[in-house]
C-alpha cells in the first residue's frame, strides 16, 4: 500500500520513448506525429487513476551536454540520435503537462535521473513519500529512499526485496553491478568480458567494486581476473558514471507540485489540435451546456425573421434564440410557421426534418438553413456529422440522449454560418440546400421490386453455395467454416501448404484478404472457389435476401436512404440497401437489377453522363488536344492510344485501347506506374513509359497536376469548379506513403468533386422542370453519374428534356454528353 502524502515523479523521457516505440504510425490529419504524446497521456491517466497522488511532477532530460560527458568523452556516444518524429513531439508533451498543471523538472546540463533523485531526497526530508514512475533500472539504486513504479511490468512496484530478487544485489550495490556489467545504452564500458551473471556473482562475494579491485588476485576466473587487473580506472569511471546524483541544488516550492485540476482553457485546444477527441472525454468532464427553459404549450410562439427548430416524436421545439423554448404539438398548427417564406427556418439535418414533416402532411418552405450541411462542406473529411459529435468536437461538451438540442442548433448555426458564407457559399446555397428536398422526393418515391425474381435467385444461389461448400470441403479433405478467416487460413497455409502471407499483427492469424486469395487463385482451385463463395454469399446477404424484407408494407416499394453528408468528395451514398454498390458489370449485379421494375404502364429511363470526369479534366487542365478530341466526338481512349503509341486511330488494337483507357482514368486518380502495372499486368517500367508518353502528348494535363499539387501544398485545400473544398492535411507529411495518398487525393478531388456537383445541380434543375410541367415522372435513383427515372408511357418524351438539362447544367470548354435509355427493368438499361 502506497503511503500519503504521495509524491509521483514521472520519468518523462523513459515514458515518451516507450510510447513512441509501442504505438507506431499514429499522426494527426495535419501529418503531425502523435504516438509518443498519446502514449504518454494514456499512461498518465492510468497512473493518476490507479495511484492518486497528492503531489506530482514530470522530469525530462536536458538536451545539453552533461557533467558525465565531461567525465567521459564517449558517454552515450553509441546511442542513436533521437528520432526526428519523437523530438517533434517533446514540446507537445511539455504543453500537455502544463495544461494538466503538472510541474516539469528540466535543468540544463543535468539528466532526469539526477533531478528525480535530488527532488525525491528533498521530498522525503519534507515528509512526503516519493514514488518514481519509470522504466529505467538505474533508478533502482535509490530504493532505500523511494519506491519505483515500473509501468512496463504491469505496474511492478520495486522495493528493496524486489531489487534483490531481480538483480541479486542490494539497491546500493546497483552502481557496483553496472560498473562491471556496463550499460550499452549509455555506452558505459564496464569491465570487458564480465557479463551480468559474472558481475552479480562478484559483487555478492566482494560487496563493492572498490573491494573487488583491491582483492582482484583472489578472483578464480582467469578471464574476470585479467579484466579487473587491466581495467581498474575504466571500472571506477563506469561506477562514477552510473551513480545517480542525489545532491543537485534544486530550489523546491512544494505547493507547485500539488495536484490540481487541468487548465481546461489550455488542455481542450491542445487535445483538439492533437485530435485526441476520445481523451477529451476522459480528461475533461463536460461543462454545463446552454440551459434554456422549455415550455410545453399548445400555442405556436410568435417569431420574427428566424426560428430554430428540432423535431421530436410528436412535438417540435421552436426557439427564436432568446427567451424560452416552446415545445408544441407536431400537427397542422405549425403549418403557417413552416410555410412562411419571410421566416428563415434553421434545423440540424434538413433532409430528415423534411421527411418527418412530410410524414405529418406538413411542408417546409424556404428559406431554411442546416448547420449539418455547413459542417459537411466546411469539414468534408470528418465522416460523421451527428449533432453530438459535432458539438463535442467544437466545444468539448456532451449532448446526451434526451437533451434539448435547439440551443445547440443555434450555437452551431452561429459558429458555422459566417464561415460558410465566406468559404463555401456557392455549394451550400446552390447545391446542397436545394438538393435536400429533391432527395426527400426520391426517398418517398421508392422503387418497385419483383420479389419473385429475388426469391428465385435466393433458391438458385442457396443451391450454388451448398455446392461450393461441398467442393471446398472435399478439396480441404475436412469440414470447416469457410466464413472463418482463421479456419480458412489454417486450411490454406498450414494444411495445403500454399505460399504463406505474413500473419496479421493483432490476431496472429493468416490474412485471407481478397487480394491474397486472388493471387493464389491463379494457381490453386480452393482459393478460386472461396472467392466465388464469398461473392455469392455477399450478394445473398446484402441484396437478394435483404431487399424483400426492406419493402414498405404500405407502399409495397423499396425506399433506400440517400446520404447527402457522407463522402468527402461530395458524392451521394445510399443505405438500406446500398443500391450504388451493386456492380453494373457483374452477372449477379445485372440479375439483381432485373428485380427492379417500374409501375405497370410505366418505364425506367436512365440518363448517364458519358466520361464526365475526363471531360472535367479537359476543362480544368485546358489541354488543347484533350479538348479537341472531346469536341470532335472521338473515342477518347482510342485517341489517347494512337497519340501515345504514334499509330493511326484505326490501327489501335483493343488491348492498346484498354491500356489507354486505364491510363486516362488512372491520371484522374493520380495513379502511379506501380499501380498501373498491377492493373494491366505489365512491368512498372512499361507503365512508367506509357505514362511518360501520355504526358508528352497531353502537357496541359501534366501542368494541371503540377499546379494542383503546388496549390494544395501551399493552401492545404483544393476546390471544385463550384467552390466545394477538401482539405489535404498530409500533403506535406514526412511520411512518404501518407504524402503520396494525399497527393493522389489532391489531384482527384477537384475532378470527382466537380462531377458530384454537376450531377447534383442536374438533379435540382430536373426536379424543378418536372414540377414546372406538373408531370408524374419521378426521379427514383442516382448512381454515380447516372440518374434513373420512373416515367409513365405518355411522358417518355421527357427523356430529351432531361438530356438537355443535364448537358446544359454547366458550360465547359468541352461538351457534356448524356446517354439516355429506357427499359422495363433496371437491368435493361444496361
Amino acid at each position: 500500500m502506497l503511503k500519503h502524502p504521495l509524491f509521483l515523479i514521472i520519468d518523462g523521457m523513459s515514458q515518451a520513448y516507450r510510447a513512441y516505440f509501442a504505438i507506431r504510425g499514429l499522426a494527426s490529419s495535419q501529418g503531425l506525429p502523435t504516438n509518443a504524446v498519446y502514449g504518454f497521456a494514456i499512461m498518465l491517466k492510468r497512473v493518476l487513476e490507479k495511484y492518486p497522488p497528492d503531489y506530482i511532477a514530470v522530469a525530462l532530460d536536458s538536451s545539453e551536454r552533461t557533467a558525465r560527458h565531461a567525465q567521459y568523452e564517449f558517454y552515450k556516444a553509441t546511442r542513436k540520435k533521437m528520432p526526428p518524429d519523437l523530438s517533434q513531439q517533446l514540446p507537445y508533451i511539455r504543453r500537455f503537462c502544463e495544461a494538466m498543471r503538472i510541474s516539469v523538472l528540466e535543468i540544463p546540463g543535468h539528466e532526469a535521473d539526477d533531478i528525480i533523485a535530488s527532488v525525491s531526497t528533498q521530498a522525503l526530508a519534507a515528509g512526503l513519500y516519493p514514488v518514481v514512475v519509470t522504466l529505467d533500472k538505474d533508478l533502482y539504486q535509490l530504493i532505500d529512499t523511494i519506491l519505483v513504479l515500473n509501468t512496463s511490468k504491469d505496474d511492478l512496484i520495486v522495493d528493496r526485496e524486489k531489487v534483490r530478487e531481480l538483480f541479486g544485489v542490494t539497491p546500493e550495490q546497483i552502481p557496483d553491478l553496472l560498473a562491471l556489467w556496463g550499460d550499452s545504452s549509455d555506452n558505459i564500458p564496464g569491465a570487458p568480458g564480465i557479463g551480468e551473471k559474472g558481475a552479480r556473482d562478484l559483487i555478492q562475494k566482494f560487496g563493492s567494486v572498490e573491494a573487488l579491485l583491491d582483492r582482484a588476485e583472489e578472483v578464480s576466473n582467469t578471464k574476470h581476473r585479467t579484466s579487473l587487473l587491466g581495467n581498474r580506472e575504466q571500472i571506477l569511471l563506469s561506477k562514477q558514471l552510473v551513480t545517480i546524483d542525489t545532491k543537485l541544488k534544486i530550489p523546491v516550492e512544494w505547493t507547485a507540485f500539488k495536484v490540481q485540476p487541468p487548465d481546461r482553457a489550455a488542455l481542450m485546444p491542445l487535445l483538439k489540435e492533437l485530435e485526441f477527441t476520445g481523451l477529451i472525454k476522459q480528461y475533461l468532464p463536460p461543462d454545463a451546456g446552454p440551459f434554456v427553459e422549455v415550455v410545453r404549450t399548445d400555442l405556436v410562439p410568435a417569431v420574427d425573421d428566424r426560428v430554430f427548430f428540432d423535431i421530436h416524436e410528436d412535438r417540435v421545439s421552436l426557439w427564436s434564440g432568446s427567451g424560452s423554448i416552446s415545445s408544441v404539438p407536431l400537427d397542422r398548427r405549425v403549418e403557417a410557421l413552416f410555410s412562411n417564406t419571410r421566416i428563415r427556418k434553421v434545423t440540424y439535418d434538413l433532409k430528415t426534418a423534411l421527411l418527418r414533416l412530410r410524414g405529418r402532411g406538413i411542408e417546409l418552405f424556404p428559406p431554411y438553413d442546416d448547420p449539418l450541411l455547413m459542417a459537411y462542406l466546411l469539414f468534408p473529411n470528418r465522416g460523421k456529422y451527428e449533432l453530438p459529435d459535432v458539438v463535442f468536437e467544437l466545444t468539448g461538451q456532451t449532448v446526451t440522449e434526451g437533451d434539448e438540442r435547439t440551443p445547440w442548433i443555434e450555437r452551431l448555426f452561429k459558429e458555422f454560418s459566417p464561415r460558410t458564407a465566406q468559404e463555401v457559399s456557392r455549394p451550400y446555397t446552390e447545391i446542397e440546400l436545394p438538393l435536400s428536398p429533391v432527395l426527400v422526393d426520391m426517398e418517398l418515391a421508392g422503387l418497385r421490386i419483383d420479389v419473385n425474381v429475388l426469391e428465385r435467385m435466393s433458391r438458385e444461389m442457396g443451391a450454388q453455395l451448398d455446392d461450393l461448400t461441398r467442393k471446398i470441403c472435399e478439396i480441404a479433405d475436412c469440414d470447416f467454416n469457410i466464413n472463418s478467416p482463421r479456419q480458412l487460413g489454417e486450411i490454406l497455409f498450414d494444411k495445403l501448404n500454399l505460399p504463406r502471407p505474413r500473419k496479421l499483427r493483432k490476431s496472429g492469424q493468416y490474412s485471407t484478404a481478397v487480394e491474397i486469395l486472388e493471387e493464389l487463385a491463379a494457381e490453386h482451385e480452393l482459393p478460386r472457389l472461396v472467392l466465388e463463395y464469398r461473392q455469392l454469399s455477399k450478394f445473398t446477404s446484402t441484396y437478394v435476401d435483404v431487399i424483400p424484407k426492406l419493402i414498405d408494407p404500405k407502399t409495397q416499394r423499396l425506399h433506400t436512404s440517400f446520404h447527402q453528408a457522407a463522402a468527402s468528395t461530395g458524392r451521394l451514398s445510399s443505405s438500406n440497401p446500398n443500391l450504388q454498390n451493386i456492380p453494373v458489370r457483374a452477372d449477379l449485379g445485372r440479375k439483381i437489377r432485373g428485380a427492379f421494375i417500374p409501375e405497370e404502364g410505366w418505364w425506367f429511363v436512365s440518363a448517364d453522363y458519358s466520361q464526365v470526369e475526363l471531360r472535367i479534366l479537359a476543362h480544368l487542365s485546358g489541354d488543347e488536344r484533350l479538348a479537341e478530341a472531346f469536341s470532335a466526338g472521338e473515342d477518347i481512349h482510342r485517341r489517347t492510344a494512337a497519340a501515345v503509341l504514334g499509330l493511326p486511330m484505326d490501327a489501335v488494337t483493343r488491348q492498346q485501347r484498354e491500356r489507354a483507357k486505364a491510363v486516362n482514368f488512372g491520371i484522374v486518380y493520380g495513379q502511379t506506374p506501380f499501380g498501373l502495372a498491377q492493373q494491366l499486368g505489365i512491368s512498372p517500367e512499361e507503365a512508367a513509359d506509357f505514362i511518360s508518353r501520355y504526358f508528352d502528348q497531353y502537357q496541359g494535363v501534366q501542368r494541371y497536376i503540377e499546379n494542383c499539387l503546388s496549390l494544395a501544398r501551399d493552401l492545404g485545400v483544393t476546390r471544385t469548379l463550384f467552390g466545394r473544398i477538401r482539405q489535404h492535411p498530409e500533403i506535406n507529411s514526412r511520411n512518404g506513403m501518407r504524402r503520396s495518398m494525399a497527393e493522389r487525393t489532391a489531384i482527384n478531388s477537384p475532378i470527382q468533386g466537380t462531377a458530384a456537383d454537376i450531377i447534383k445541380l442536374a438533379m435540382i434543375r430536373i426536379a424543378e422542370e418536372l414540377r414546372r410541367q406538373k408531370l408524374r415522372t419521378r426521379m427514383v435513383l442516382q448512381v454515380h453519374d447516372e440518374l434513373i427515372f420512373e416515367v409513365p408511357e405518355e411522358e417518355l418524351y421527357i427523356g430529351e428534356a432531361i438530356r438537355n438539362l443535364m448537358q446544359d447544367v454547366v458550360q465547359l470548354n468541352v461538351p457534356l454528353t448524356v446517354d439516355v435509355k429506357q427499359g422495363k427493368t433496371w437491368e435493361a438499361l444496361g
Side-chain angles (χ1 to χ4, degrees), residues 436-508:
S436 289
V438 176
L439 296 178
V440 168
D441 288 339
M442 292 169 67
E443 288 187 20
L444 292 175
L447 289 147
R448 187 167 173 239
I449 304 294
D450 186 342
V451 177
N452 293 327
V453 171
L454 294 177
E455 288 177 346
R456 183 173 64 251
M457 285 185 69
S458 182
R459 290 192 297 270
E460 292 171 355
M461 292 166 75
Q464 289 173 337
L465 284 170
D466 290 343
D467 187 49
L468 283 169
T469 301
R470 180 181 55 76
K471 288 180 180 177
I472 290 168
C473 290
E474 280 179 1
I475 296 171
D477 195 27
C478 68
D479 291 338
F480 71 99
N481 181 1
I482 302 169
N483 295 313
S484 165
R486 181 178 294 278
Q487 292 184 34
L488 177 61
E490 290 169 356
I491 293 291
L492 290 171
F493 308 116
D494 290 337
K495 186 168 185 179
L496 299 182
N497 289 316
L498 300 187
R500 289 172 170 79
R502 286 185 179 179
K503 288 191 174 184
L504 298 173
R505 282 186 183 177
K506 288 188 178 179
S507 64

Side-chain angles (χ1 to χ4, degrees), residues 203-263:
I203 297 303
Q204 286 174 349
K205 181 176 180 179
F206 292 92
S208 71
V209 159
E210 289 80 3
L212 172 64
L213 290 170
D214 289 343
R215 299 163 56 192
E217 293 290 353
E218 300 176 26
V219 175
S220 57
N221 185 303
T222 304
K223 182 179 177 183
H224 290 175
R225 185 173 63 252
T226 303
S227 179
L228 293 168
L229 291 171
N231 295 283
R232 179 184 181 91
E233 295 305 320
Q234 178 172 301
I235 294 168
L236 291 173
L237 173 62
S238 295
K239 181 172 179 178
Q240 207 174 350
L241 293 171
V242 299
T243 301
I244 294 176
D245 188 351
T246 62
K247 298 177 181 178
L248 293 182
K249 297 187 184 304
I250 302 175
V252 172
E253 181 62 52
W254 295 114
T255 54
F257 298 137
K258 282 192 72 68
V259 171
Q260 301 178 68
D263 178 357

Side-chain angles (χ1 to χ4, degrees), residues 788-804:
I788 297 173
F789 303 85
E790 197 172 8
V791 184
E793 186 144 8
E794 65 274 14
E795 294 180 5
L796 282 172
Y797 63 85
I798 197 63
E800 196 57 34
I802 289 170
R803 185 204 307 272
N804 293 336

Side-chain angles (χ1 to χ4, degrees), residues 722-779:
F722 299 90
R724 182 185 300 273
I725 64 172
R726 185 174 182 184
Q727 293 89 5
H728 306 281
E730 296 192 330
I731 193 75
N732 295 310
S733 172
R734 296 181 184 180
N735 183 304
M737 187 177 296
R738 290 178 176 168
R739 185 176 62 252
S740 296
M741 177 64 75
E743 287 171 351
R744 290 194 293 274
T745 304
I747 294 166
N748 170 251
S749 292
I751 299 168
Q752 196 174 29
T754 297
D757 290 340
I758 285 174
I759 198 160
K760 284 180 174 180
L761 281 169
M763 293 167 72
I764 294 163
R765 304 280 167 78
I766 292 167
E768 290 171 351
E769 182 62 18
L770 296 178
R771 197 161 44 246
R772 187 187 68 80
Q773 293 193 37
K774 298 180 181 176
L775 299 177
R776 291 192 294 159
T777 294
R778 51 200 176 211
M779 198 181 326

Side-chain angles (χ1 to χ4, degrees), residues 531-702:
L531 285 170
E532 190 177 339
Y533 175 94
R534 282 186 179 179
Q535 187 186 41
L536 265 176
S537 181
K538 180 181 178 182
F539 271 90
T540 302
S541 61
T542 307
Y543 299 109
V544 176
D545 290 345
V546 170
I547 287 175
K549 298 173 186 175
L550 295 175
I551 294 174
D552 189 307
K554 292 181 181 177
T555 64
Q556 290 299 305
R557 292 169 76 90
L558 177 71
H559 300 272
T560 189
S561 296
F562 293 100
H563 302 293
Q564 192 173 356
S568 51
T569 58
R571 292 279 192 184
L572 290 172
S573 64
S574 70
S575 63
N576 294 323
N578 183 353
L579 298 179
Q580 300 188 334
N581 265 14
I582 301 176
V584 64
R585 290 180 177 82
D587 182 56
L588 287 173
R590 287 193 296 271
K591 287 182 178 179
I592 290 170
R593 291 179 176 216
F596 289 74
I597 56 175
E599 292 286 351
E600 293 292 337
W602 292 49
W603 290 75
F604 278 146
V605 171
S606 74
D608 189 6
Y609 279 114
S610 173
Q611 300 170 335
V612 64
E613 292 187 358
L614 289 178
R615 294 171 190 272
I616 291 166
L617 175 62
H619 177 83
L620 294 177
S621 68
D623 188 277
E624 293 180 4
R625 288 191 174 184
L626 204 56
E628 181 184 301
F630 280 120
S631 297
E634 294 176 348
D635 179 334
I636 190 62
H637 305 312
R638 188 170 294 278
R639 168 71 177 264
T640 295
V644 168
L645 299 172
L647 298 172
M649 284 185 60
D650 56 6
V652 172
T653 66
R654 181 176 178 181
Q655 184 187 45
Q656 289 167 336
R657 182 186 181 277
E658 286 304 306
R659 285 191 178 186
K661 181 178 180 181
V663 173
N664 275 332
F665 285 114
I667 292 298
V668 174
Y669 288 91
Q671 193 172 48
T672 62
F674 179 76
L676 181 65
Q678 282 193 314
Q679 182 180 346
L680 296 178
I682 60 178
S683 71
E685 291 75 20
E686 285 181 276
D689 180 61
F690 204 106
I691 290 174
S692 176
R693 285 189 281 166
Y694 174 95
F695 284 132
D696 285 343
Q697 295 297 318
Y698 299 115
Q699 294 181 18
V701 174
Q702 186 170 27

